[in-house]
């Protein structure tokens, strides 16, 4: 094979597409930076907590309304989807940055809400483009693919924070500039690589080894970032040291590109289905076939022997049985207990740090981002083991995660020592696990034909949760406790005074309420498990239970 042919093979290699998708996700978690930019907006604009909560709701709505991105993936190339997201992110957060540095006149709150909505909505295009191409290129490894991709999205907050630190801007408002410009530079560089490339035909025996290498890089990357954050927290570092630490971070992020390069230029293994494909003539090959569901991958040669029409009928029949098993409330339960950025924990995390007297919330926001990353990677890995090895419904992993979340929230609610560290670790990892497990389960229930639209439909739980938990409950309790503290100190509180609450009391009741809701969500998750248990056993083999 000539060098030109190898370069063409590299460009069409599904592992290169996957690695490029990882890079997109590593800077696309814009919503996770809200905990870092909200104090800047609050200080420069003179907002109270309810106004900041309104911006948080706008952020959550923008992050949840992804129908356009999901539908666009079915009719337009992936690069078009990614480019639209770049434009929205750049315009939305660019206007917010210009407002906070007073280049533009002070905009009304509702205008800033629209800007944050538009900017954060760009994230739905990034996520949809990366995930759709990923699961279509790796239909037999959805748990691994979704876990790793969503993991890098969760890690993006810490990565963008580190980039902001190394650039050494003179003002804090420049963190918003990094959020606006950073994703645009990265995504425009790789958006033409990310697309479906017929990945099912590229399956190789070495795929498991390649995934193992990626998991190793993920763990090293998380450990490295955590060490850098701890080092920056315990000792002052000069700018040269910070620069070298950031270069090391970027090297680790770029390292996975070695996998497709090695497979194309140095490995000689043939695809698993190479022999079968050579026995088929061009008329029998299924050119642009889309894998409709996990059913199609797991039914084996029995279905492959059927005619195209009978095969499609068989797939539709099995798909209908799967959806029927999840009926009578199971899908609605799935939405209710799904991942809710509406709980807006990144914003709560920053305010928790402030209420406990920590001057720099960036450390804890980055810490929760790192554990978010590990949770997503682990959630995809272990849920895949549950499904593949035990033929048990994937949502059982969600039930376990919800119970752990309930315990950590209760730990903070009772004012236990070191609660902020426990919450950062447990909530970050458990929250991340949601985003790895639920999209994989959704693809099993409804298939890949309209996965982009289905994925974005599931995220609609976010604005509802944000409106209730952040906009009403958490903010209301926070302002009430802040007024109580200020009235005890000054005997009178003016409406224009900036309200700041101190101590664990600011969020104890909120965490207690969320703890109870997590327990309810775990019971609802087990309802989904019960309703789909037989079908998962039919799809993946005999259950051990």
């Amino acid at each position: 094979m000539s060098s030109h042919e190898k370069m063409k093979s590299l460009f069409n290699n599904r592992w290169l597409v996957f690695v490029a998708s990882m890079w997109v996700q590593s800077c696309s978690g814009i919503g996770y930076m809200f905990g870092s930019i909200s104090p800047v907006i609050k200080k420069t604009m003179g907002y109270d907590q309810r106004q900041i909560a309104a911006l948080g709701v706008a952020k959550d709505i923008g992050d949840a309304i992804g129908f356009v991105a999901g539908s666009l993936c079915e009719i337009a190339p992936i690069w078009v989807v990614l480019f639209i997201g770049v434009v929205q992110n750049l315009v939305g957060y660019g206007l917010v940055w210009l407002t906070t540095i007073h280049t533009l006149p002070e905009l009304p709150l509702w205008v800033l809400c629209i800007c944050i909505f538009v900017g954060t909505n760009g994230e739905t295009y990034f996520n949809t483009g990366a995930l759709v191409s990923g699961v279509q290129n790796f239909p037999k490894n959805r748990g691994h693919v979704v876990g790793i991709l969503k993991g890098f999205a969760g890690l993006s907050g810490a990565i963008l924070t580190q980039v902001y630190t190394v650039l050494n801007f003179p003002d804090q408002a420049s963190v918003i500039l990094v959020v606006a410009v950073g994703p645009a530079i990265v995504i425009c560089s790789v958006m033409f690589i990310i697309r479906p490339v017929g990945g099912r035909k590229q399956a190789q025996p070495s795929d498991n080894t390649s995934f193992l290498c990626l998991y190793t890089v993920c763990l090293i990357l998380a450990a490295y970032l955590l060490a850098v954050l701890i080092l920056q927290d315990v000792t002052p570092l000069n700018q040269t040291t910070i620069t070298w630490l950031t270069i090391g971070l970027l090297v680790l992020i770029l390292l996975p590109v070695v996998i497709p390069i090695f497979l194309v230029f140095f490995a000689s293994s043939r695809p698993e289905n190479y022999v079968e494909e050579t026995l088929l003539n061009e008329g029998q090959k299924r050119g642009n076939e889309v894998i409709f569901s996990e059913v199609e991958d797991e039914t084996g040669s029995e279905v492959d022997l059927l005619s195209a029409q009978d095969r499609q009928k068989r797939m539709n029949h099995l798909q209908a049985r799967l959806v029927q098993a999840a009926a009578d409330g199971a899908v609605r339960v799935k939405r209710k207990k799904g991942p809710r950025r509406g709980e807006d924990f990144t914003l709560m995390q920053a305010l928790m740090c402030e209420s406990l007297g920590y001057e720099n919330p960036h450390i804890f926001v980055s810490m929760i981002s790192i554990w978010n990353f590990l949770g997503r990677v682990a959630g995809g890995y272990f849920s895949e083991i549950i499904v593949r090895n035990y033929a048990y419904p994937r949502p059982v992993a969600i039930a376990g995660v919800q119970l752990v979340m309930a315990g950590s929230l209760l730990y903070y609610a009772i004012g236990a020592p070191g609660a902020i560290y426990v919450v950062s670790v447990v909530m970050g990892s458990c929250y991340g696990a949601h985003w790895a497990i639920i999209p994989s389960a959704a693809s099993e229930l409804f298939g890949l034909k309209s996965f982009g639209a289905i994925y974005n439909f599931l995220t609609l739980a976010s604005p509802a949760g944000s409106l209730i938990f952040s906009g009403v409950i958490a903010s209301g309790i926070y302002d009430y406790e802040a007024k109580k503290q200020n009235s005890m100190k000054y005997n009178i509180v003016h409406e224009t005074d900036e309200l700041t609450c101190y101590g664990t009391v600011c969020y104890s009741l909120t965490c207690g309420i969320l703890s109870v809701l997590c327990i309810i969500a775990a019971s609802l998750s087990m309802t989904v498990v019960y309703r789909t248990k037989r079908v998962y056993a039919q799809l993946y083999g005999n259950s051990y239970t």
Side-chain angles (χ1 to χ4, degrees), residues 422-444:
V422 173
V423 166
S424 297
V425 172
V426 176
M427 290 299 296
S429 57
C430 291
Y431 176 73
H434 278 71
W435 282 105
I437 300 170
I438 288 182
S440 300
S443 71
E444 290 165 337

Side-chain angles (χ1 to χ4, degrees), residues 13 68 162 238 286 321 423 515:
N13 187 275
V68 177
Q162 189 63 29
N238 58 45
R286 298 168 293 171
R321 290 178 60 188
V423 166
S515 178

Side-chain angles (χ1 to χ4, degrees), residues 321-331 333 393 445 524-536:
R321 290 178 60 188
L322 182 57
V323 175
Q324 183 180 3
D328 298 331
V331 175
V333 166
L445 284 172
L524 296 177
S525 300
M526 292 307 297
T527 304
V528 179
V529 172
Y530 175 76
R531 295 292 301 174
T532 59
K533 187 176 179 181
R534 287 186 178 181
V535 180
Y536 269 88

Side-chain angles (χ1 to χ4, degrees), residues 387-401:
V387 167
R388 296 282 176 177
N389 294 355
Y390 299 97
Y392 208 73
R394 200 182 294 267
V396 72
I398 287 293
V401 167

Side-chain angles (χ1 to χ4, degrees), residues 110-182:
W110 66 270
V111 176
L112 280 183
C113 285
I114 293 176
C115 291
I116 288 181
F117 166 82
V118 171
T120 310
N121 188 249
E123 182 180 347
T124 65
Y125 292 84
F126 305 151
N127 288 333
T128 303
L131 285 172
V132 167
S133 63
V135 295
Q136 288 188 359
N137 288 331
F138 293 86
K140 293 186 177 182
N141 306 101
R142 301 176 196 183
H144 299 314
V145 169
V146 174
I148 292 174
L149 289 180
K150 296 303 294 182
F152 270 86
L155 196 64
S156 60
I159 295 173
L160 290 174
T161 299
Q162 189 63 29
V163 171
Y164 165 72
T165 303
V166 75
L167 293 176
N168 196 25
F169 286 110
D171 60 320
Q172 291 185 339
S174 298
V175 68
I176 306 176
L177 177 63
V178 172
V179 172
V181 176

